[in-house]
Amino acid sequence: MKIKLLVILLLCFNISIIAENKDYHNDLGSSFKYSKKKTIDANFTLNEYYTLNIDGLYSDMIISTSNTDKISFHIVITGKADREDNVDKLLQNIDFEFDDDKVNNKLNVATIISISNMRKIGYEININITMPDNIKLNVESMYGDLHIDKLRKDFNLSLRYADLTADSLFADNIIDVMYGDIMVKYAKYVKANVRYGDISVKEAENIDLDIMYGNSEFSRLDKLDGWLRYSELVCGSVNTTNIDIMYTDVNFRDVIDVNIKNVYGDAIIDNLRNKIYYSSNYGDLEIKSVDKNFRLIEVDANYSDIEVCLTDEHYFNYNIELSYGSISSIQFLEKYATRIIEKDYKSSIVGNYNDTTNEHKLIVKGSYTDFSLDD
């Protein structure tokens, strides 16, 4: 049983936005006769208790950190128009506000754009920030990508129509992205809320994921908690995972403990080490390999196909009960069965395959579900 969903999202929007009742017009894709630049440099001294707050608009940011108490900003604003006086006016009306609140240990930085009556213009804002690696960072940005090399303190991000790339995030990170992608090499903890975008993390200790209309790819995790809709998930190695999926396909290459609640999606596990609980409606499960010392495989599924690879090297108790379904490899299971029921629309078989410890269990229950023991 395979259920596939094709979601086609057609996102058409003019790059004119309404923000705080102001019309910021930016013809990024057009060519213009005149182009000029304006540069802003600012420097501050911060202590380890500071928080940097950035409110960005149409601003691409590159943030580098170092073991210092200094923070520096180098901002280049490029204005474009078909009339030179419009370029000058444009650059005059794009600026940055810096508020060093020493009482509350906050440095507030904001993009100021006042061009509501200007048309046929284009502008680019590039921000390079060098900051201490031991202060907190909060960023709200729209239409501007963000790159960070490393952070040792907490990081909060709200990003719209833009991407985040980061090398190393060593503290707690709360990331909210819409119409953008997340790419991180290492993170200690990430709470990610993603809409219409993808997330990729090579290594992390803990990820709490809420995603809709986007794909997820993780190489190595300690723990994954997730709520996924209309998505795909590929995970290399994970110790513990608990996910709720709908219209989503998932693939775990190597997992120790996994709990999956599934509706209209398929799950593939290349190698299961310890235990799985799988609850499904209209979703298939395939476990290609199971460690000999596994503890539990428990499935509660309706309208699904379940395939589990257990060989004569495994030792386990089994309890399989199906309504309006079939059990393959029944002859293998019958040899060691203590109870077999085949009546009307019900199939049930209970037994023990050489498990003297009673510590390895296979439990399958379902309706309109077929179970295959691929030995």
Side-chain angles (χ1 to χ4, degrees), residues 98-201:
F98 297 89
D99 175 24
D100 186 5
D101 184 354
K102 295 186 180 298
V103 174
N104 296 303
N105 288 321
K106 294 180 179 180
L107 177 60
N108 303 308
V109 182
T111 311
I112 306 299
I113 300 178
S114 304
I115 55 173
S116 58
N117 296 321
M118 299 186 70
R119 289 294 184 271
K120 295 183 179 180
I121 57 172
Y123 49 92
E124 298 175 3
I125 304 171
N126 292 285
I127 307 173
N128 282 275
I129 304 172
T130 302
M131 59 176 277
D133 63 359
N134 63 345
I135 67 172
K136 295 181 179 180
L137 175 64
N138 298 326
V139 178
E140 291 188 16
S141 185
M142 184 179 292
Y143 298 106
D145 296 336
L146 172 62
H147 174 75
I148 301 172
D149 62 352
K150 63 180 179 180
L151 290 175
R152 300 192 182 278
K153 286 291 189 71
D154 294 348
F155 172 45
N156 293 325
L157 172 67
S158 177
L159 201 62
R160 298 294 181 266
Y161 305 99
D163 300 332
L164 165 70
T165 59
D167 290 338
S168 300
L169 304 174
F170 293 103
D172 293 341
N173 309 278
I174 299 176
I175 300 173
D176 187 332
V177 174
M178 183 177 290
Y179 301 106
D181 299 333
I182 301 170
M183 291 153 284
V184 178
K185 290 183 179 178
Y186 170 80
K188 179 184 177 183
Y189 169 78
V190 174
K191 181 177 178 62
N193 183 70
V194 184
R195 295 294 182 269
Y196 305 101
D198 301 335
I199 179 171
S200 172
V201 179

Side-chain angles (χ1 to χ4, degrees), residues 13 15 23 44 72 79 123 128 153 159 188 191 219 226 230 238 251-252 269 279 291 305 310 325 336 345-346:
F13 58 91
I15 201 152
D23 185 4
F44 302 90
S72 63
Y123 49 92
N128 282 275
K153 286 291 189 71
L159 201 62
K188 179 184 177 183
K191 181 177 178 62
S219 297
Y230 307 98
V238 60
N251 178 209
F252 293 97
I269 297 175
S279 173
D291 191 277
D305 287 343
L310 292 175
Y336 306 92
Y345 55 86
K346 291 186 178 181

Side-chain angles (χ1 to χ4, degrees), residues 190-226:
V190 174
K191 181 177 178 62
N193 183 70
V194 184
R195 295 294 182 269
Y196 305 101
D198 301 335
I199 179 171
S200 172
V201 179
K202 289 189 177 298
E203 183 177 359
E205 294 184 21
N206 191 347
I207 290 183
D208 187 348
L209 176 65
D210 186 319
I211 186 170
M212 183 180 289
Y213 303 111
N215 299 327
S216 311
E217 184 173 0
F218 308 116
S219 297
R220 186 169 62 183
L221 304 178
D222 181 41
K223 184 180 180 183
L224 171 64
D225 294 307

Side-chain angles (χ1 to χ4, degrees), residues 250-269:
V250 300
N251 178 209
F252 293 97
R253 295 195 175 97
D254 187 79
V255 62
I256 296 177
D257 297 334
V258 57
N259 186 332
I260 301 175
K261 181 181 179 182
N262 178 25
V263 179
Y264 293 111
D266 296 335
I268 297 175
I269 297 175

